[in-house]
Structures are given as structure tokens and as C-alpha cells.
Amino acid sequence: MAEQVGYSQKVMEHFMNPHNVGVIEDADGYGKVGNPVCGDIMEIFIKVKDDRIEDIKFRTFGCGSAIATSSMVTDMARGKTLDEAMTITRNDVATELDGLPPRKMHCSNLAADALHEAIKDYRSRQGA
């Protein structure tokens, strides 16, 4: 078991049973970010319909916090318009998880960044 660093119950739930895990083969948008210091890598795949995130999946290589934040950001973004999803911040993700230990906050930043990268990728494919 991972060392205890003060994870909330919600973080543990999303780590043990993450939501939206996987790959969307014909994704409309794809975002990948990494943190060279800790080695975490996050990928987010989105399907967009009528300017809304219709489907979203993630694949993450990293610690429990990285998995939990990826799971939470996909839950938060599903069904939102692209503009709404672009406003999701690291603090929003951490707050929805009932907080993260300070040394794990960078994970929530990666999750939000990967989402934003997927949206930017979608928009560039659309010529926006």
C-alpha cells in the first residue's frame, strides 16, 4: 500500500476505482502532459458533439494522486461545453477530491493541463 500522505476518502475511492479509464481510438481531441520530476504522464481523449464533451477517457502512469485527479477531471468535464471545461483549474480538481496533500497538488495541475491540451488539440483540428 502507498505511504500515507493524508489522502481524503474521495481520493482513495478514485484511486482504487477510477472512472473513465481507457482510450478513445477515434478521439476528436488528445492531450498528453508529463512531469519530468515525478515521472507522472497523463493522457486524455475526448469526443465532442455540439461543442460539448460527449465522451472522455484517460490513461495515466503515475501515483495514486495522479490517477485520482485524472479520474476526477474526466468526471468534471463530461457533458460540459468546451469553454466550461477550459475553466476547470487544478484547485477545482483538488477541491472536488476534498483536498490533496500539498506535495501532491502538482497532480491536479497535470490533470487540468491534459484536459486543456485535449481541447486545444480538438480546436486546432477544427481550424479554430
Side-chain angles (χ1 to χ4, degrees):
M1 188 67 195
E3 66 175 291
Q4 270 303 83
V5 289
Y7 291 122
S8 71
Q9 187 61 41
K10 221 180 226 184
V11 169
M12 291 307 296
E13 286 168 16
H14 277 270
F15 167 57
M16 301 300 281
N17 300 295
H19 307 172
N20 309 307
V21 175
V23 173
I24 299 174
E25 293 298 341
D26 58 342
D28 296 323
Y30 168 74
K32 180 178 180 179
V33 296
N35 180 327
V37 176
C38 68
D40 290 349
I41 298 170
M42 295 180 184
E43 295 176 295
I44 288 191
F45 306 83
I46 59 172
K47 287 294 279 183
V48 179
K49 184 175 182 184
D50 300 328
D51 205 45
R52 286 192 178 273
I53 296 176
E54 182 180 51
D55 195 13
I56 183 166
K57 302 263 186 219
F58 79 89
R59 189 164 56 179
T60 293
F61 176 82
C63 66
S65 293
I67 293 165
T69 54
S70 298
S71 174
M72 179 54 81
V73 84
T74 58
D75 278 356
M76 292 170 71
R78 180 182 298 279
K80 286 199 169 22
T81 66
L82 297 175
D83 287 341
E84 289 167 343
M86 283 298 283
T87 68
I88 295 172
T89 67
R90 65 185 283 177
N91 288 333
D92 295 335
V93 177
T95 299
E96 283 295 316
L97 285 167
D98 298 332
L100 282 171
R103 65 187 180 147
K104 295 295 183 177
M105 273 303 286
H106 68 276
C107 295
S108 62
N109 208 28
L110 285 177
D113 287 351
L115 170 64
H116 299 159
E117 287 302 314
I119 294 168
K120 287 176 193 167
D121 177 55
Y122 167 76
R123 286 180 166 161
S124 73
R125 293 183 197 192
Q126 303 306 305

